[in-house]
Amino acid sequence: MSYYDEDFYTEPCEFEEQIEELKAALASSVQQKFLDEMDALRKENKSLREFRDKKEAYERELAQVKQQYKTKMRDAEMNADRKKLKDLLSGVSTIGYRVGYKYIQGPKCDKCENDRKIHFTSPSGRKMKEDCLCARRTVNYYPTEVSLVSFYARDEVSSVYYEMKQEDRDCDRYDLCAEIYDHDKAKAFEEINKYRVVFLEKEDCQRYCDWLNEVEAQKGSAPC
C-alpha cells in the first residue's frame, strides 16, 4: 500500500461540495437580488418619467391660466379706464360734419349696349367700342357725421376739437381737427379744403356741399 493516495486528494470531499453549493446558491441569490433591484429601478424610473411629464403638463397649464388671468385683469383695467375716459369726455362730446361723397350714374340711354358701350367700326374696318355719354359718373357731396370732443380755451384762444378716428377694444384714437369752419369768421368756399374741414353746424356743411355739387355740375356742362 502506497503512502500517497491520489484519489484522496483529487476527489472532492463532502465539505467542498457543500461549499460549492453554497457559493452557487449565494451567487444565484445575489444575481436574483440584482435583477429584482434593476426591475424595481426600471419601474421607479417609469413612474418618475410619468410624474415628470404630468408635472411639466401641469406647469404649462398653470402658466397658461396665469397668463389668461393677467390678460383678463389687464382688459378689465383698460375697460374701466376707457369707461372713465368716456364718462369724462361725455361732457365735452359733440357732433361735427365732414364732406362725404359718392359717385352716381344717370339713367341708361337707348343708344348703347347693356354695358353702356357704343360699338362701332373704324374707317379701317376694325371693330371698336367706347363709353357712352350716359356711362359718365358724377360725384355727389353730402354731410356726414363725425364724433368730436371739444376743449374750450380762454383768453381769446380758439377752442380745440379732436375727431374720433378709431374705436376698438384696445384704445380709442382721436386726431386734432386741422380746420374748423366758423360761420362767424367764414372763409369763402373757394378757400376751404374739403378734405380737411370739419363743420360744427350741419346747415353750414350742407351749404358747402351744395356749392361743391354746383361746381361739379358746371364742369359736366362745360363744352369739351
Side-chain angles (χ1 to χ4, degrees), residues 82 86 147 163-174:
R82 286 186 63 194
K86 285 182 179 295
S147 298
E163 178 183 354
M164 178 182 284
K165 288 295 188 178
Q166 177 179 327
E167 182 178 15
D168 56 36
R169 64 181 299 273
D170 292 328
C171 64
D172 298 340
R173 198 189 88 192
Y174 290 83

Side-chain angles (χ1 to χ4, degrees), residues 24 27-28 35 48 58 69 71 76 82 129 132 169 188 217:
S28 177
L35 294 175
L48 289 173
Y58 169 77
Y69 173 77
T71 301
R82 286 186 63 194
K129 61 181 179 179
C132 180
R169 64 181 299 273

Side-chain angles (χ1 to χ4, degrees), residues 29-45:
S29 176
V30 170
Q31 183 181 18
Q32 186 60 46
K33 182 179 181 181
F34 174 77
L35 294 175
D36 292 342
E37 289 179 351
M38 290 296 295
D39 186 58
L41 286 174
R42 279 194 294 269
K43 292 179 179 179
E44 183 178 2
N45 287 338

Side-chain angles (χ1 to χ4, degrees), residues 168-186:
D168 56 36
R169 64 181 299 273
D170 292 328
C171 64
D172 298 340
R173 198 189 88 192
Y174 290 83
D175 288 352
L176 177 66
C177 295
E179 183 177 342
I180 296 292
Y181 180 84
D182 185 350
H183 60 264
D184 293 331
K185 303 176 183 178

